[in-house]
Amino acid sequence: MANLLLIVSGSVAAYKALELVRLARRAGHAVTPILTAGGARFVTKEALAGISGARVHDDLWAAEAEIGHIRLARAPDLVVVAPASADLLAKMAAGLADDLASTVLLATRAPVLVAPAMNPAMWAHPATVANMKALASRGVHLVGPEEGAMAEPESGPGRLAEPPAILAAIEALLHHGPLAGRHVVVTSGPTHENIDPVRYIANRSSGRQGHAIAAALAALGARVTLVSGPVAVPDPAGVTVVRIESARQMLAAVEAALPADAAVFAAAVADFRPTDVGSQKIKKVPGAPPPEIALTLNPDILATIAQRQVQRPALVVGFAAETESVVPHAQDKRLRKGCDWIVANDVSGDVMGGAENAVHLVTEAGVEDWPRLPKAEVARRLATRIAESLA
Ligand code: C5P
């Protein structure tokens, strides 16, 4: 389906590149590997050649004699650097070209996806942070790194993204899959409603479920606009992210993103906002009673979009976070708001901000109870159902 150029640089995680090649080929892609000198310390040229079924390039001058680095750089639909070492990312940021991998990365016009892997201290170092910022500003796409078990007994992000997550990011960037040609708008995260210039009302939404849905839709080929409140989770690869703070900004951003084939409203929008936002910080007056904050109802973004007369997406999906009578409330909400589906979850436990979710899919046809699943799996199932519904 696509021609991928895979650059494998030096990291203990380089063995995972073999699994990535296997998955990419199974998905129908052709993979041409480039192995850096550092990468060759962790994975052999023979293993990469065997699994990719392609010639592995590891030397600038040999490649020059055979096909030329410019042709190597121009042929692929996408260049993937996995694992991407701190050293190679620094070279990319600086525009160095002293070996085959860095030369091809400087010469290519194809989109580039990097999957970093390094020690957490190296990832957090201001030099790496600055390099990543420079690469992002030039349109280089990022997947991972993740937190979790590493070769060293240290914690923090630095671990290479898992091969299926890297493949999902690849598919998202290629816009391949059953949702190719479709546009989906997703809302995610909390909103912040200003009280005064320094204070705001917020909630505990992490954005994990909404961001995972955006990533899963993109992995099925959709063009995704993710309208997100303030969150700490990274932007999904291959997704257009619009950052907002308040509910009113979120509504405006969603309307600006239309038309769309589907819309998924996973954000935890604040129902109320302070009526008057002063231009000065509210003072604590000694002896005086604390101020009262008057609240005004925010627009309901889901209901507004679901009830539009023009440019209503063909499929509008809302969420319902409930702590009791989850399904009846969701059925009621579906009708009241005018949306097509409601994904209902019981948030009485540790769902908000947590890694797992147990949901019920409420549609016109009835109710499906899904088992407790990682949020990424809930997202994949929902994206698959959306693709089937739009087909
Ligand atoms: O009414 P409730 O807040 O329970 O509805 C939840 C659903 O409505 C979610 O899909 C949420 O994103 C959406 N919503 C919205 N705008 C609001 C409040 C909720 O889009 N102001």
Side-chain angles (χ1 to χ4, degrees):
M1 294 230 289
N3 285 315
L4 306 176
L5 189 70
L6 174 67
I7 296 175
V8 179
S9 65
S11 153
V12 262
Y15 72 92
K16 288 191 192 170
L18 298 173
E19 174 67 1
L20 176 61
V21 173
R22 196 180 67 78
L23 293 177
R25 289 196 70 198
R26 207 169 63 184
H29 305 304
V31 183
T32 303
I34 290 182
L35 188 58
T36 69
R41 297 250 169 193
F42 297 96
V43 60
T44 66
K45 196 174 171 178
E46 289 71 21
L48 263 180
I51 287 199
S52 67
R55 175 140 179 42
V56 178
H57 302 278
D58 60 353
D59 182 79
L60 178 58
W61 304 111
E64 206 50 51
E66 280 168 34
I67 81 165
H69 70 271
I70 296 294
R71 251 188 69 200
L72 206 48
R74 295 288 155 78
D77 300 302
L78 179 69
V79 179
V80 182
V81 190
S85 66
D87 177 65
L88 185 52
L89 291 167
K91 279 187 181 173
M92 289 172 72
L96 291 181
D98 66 348
D99 66 358
L100 181 61
S102 53
T103 304
V104 163
L105 283 162
L106 196 61
T108 192
R109 288 182 188 146
V112 176
L113 172 69
V114 297
M118 66 195 73
N119 165 279
M122 291 168 80
W123 176 250
H125 194 284
T128 307
V129 172
N131 290 335
M132 293 311 299
K133 204 170 155 198
L135 294 175
S137 75
R138 289 179 218 149
V140 169
H141 302 277
L142 173 70
V143 55
E146 292 170 1
E147 262 185 73
M150 312 247 308
E152 295 111 28
E154 277 182 52
S155 61
R159 188 170 183 253
L160 181 69
E162 290 302 327
I166 301 174
L167 182 64
I170 290 171
E171 301 290 8
L173 289 167
L174 294 170
H175 294 296
H176 281 172
L179 285 171
R182 303 290 196 171
H183 179 216
V184 186
V185 177
V186 179
T187 68
S188 183
T191 63
H192 286 184
E193 308 294 336
N194 286 347
I195 297 171
D196 68 16
V198 295
R199 305 182 179 96
Y200 56 83
I201 297 176
N203 63 65
R204 291 189 199 284
S205 168
S206 64
R208 283 170 100 160
Q209 185 65 81
H211 277 55
I213 291 166
L217 289 162
L220 296 185
R223 184 164 69 80
V224 178
T225 305
L226 174 62
V227 181
S228 175
V231 294
V233 289
D235 293 352
V239 164
T240 303
V241 183
V242 181
R243 288 184 188 75
I244 53 79
E245 290 196 346
S246 70
R248 286 184 294 175
Q249 289 169 349
M250 183 173 272
L251 175 60
V254 169
E255 287 178 328
L258 297 179
D261 298 285
V264 182
F265 296 94
V269 184
D271 292 320
F272 318 105
R273 66 173 183 274
T275 308
D276 300 306
V277 182
S279 57
Q280 306 296 328
K281 184 182 166 195
I282 300 169
K283 289 269 185 258
K284 181 171 64 179
V285 182
E292 290 190 359
I293 300 173
L295 297 175
T296 298
L297 208 55
N298 261 332
D300 189 311
I301 303 166
L302 167 62
T304 306
I305 301 301
Q307 292 166 28
R308 273 176 78 102
Q309 302 298 317
V310 289
Q311 288 190 333
R312 182 199 189 272
L315 182 67
V316 176
V317 183
F319 273 68
E322 307 284 354
T323 52
E324 53 173 353
S325 310
V326 178
V327 169
H329 277 143
Q331 284 167 320
D332 178 56
K333 191 165 291 180
R334 194 183 79 82
L335 296 174
R336 201 159 26 86
K337 299 214 184 195
C339 61
D340 303 292
W341 298 353
I342 286 273
V343 180
N345 52 354
D346 185 340
V347 290
S348 52
D350 54 358
V351 159
M352 261 187 136
E356 292 193 330
N357 213 346
V359 308
H360 314 270
L361 182 64
V362 178
T363 70
E364 195 181 3
V367 182
E368 284 173 32
D369 303 317
W370 292 3
R372 191 177 169 95
L373 296 165
K375 286 183 176 175
E377 186 53 35
V378 171
R380 269 194 290 275
R381 286 194 184 202
L382 185 64
T384 304
R385 292 297 302 270
I386 290 171
E388 285 165 5
S389 157
L390 293 180

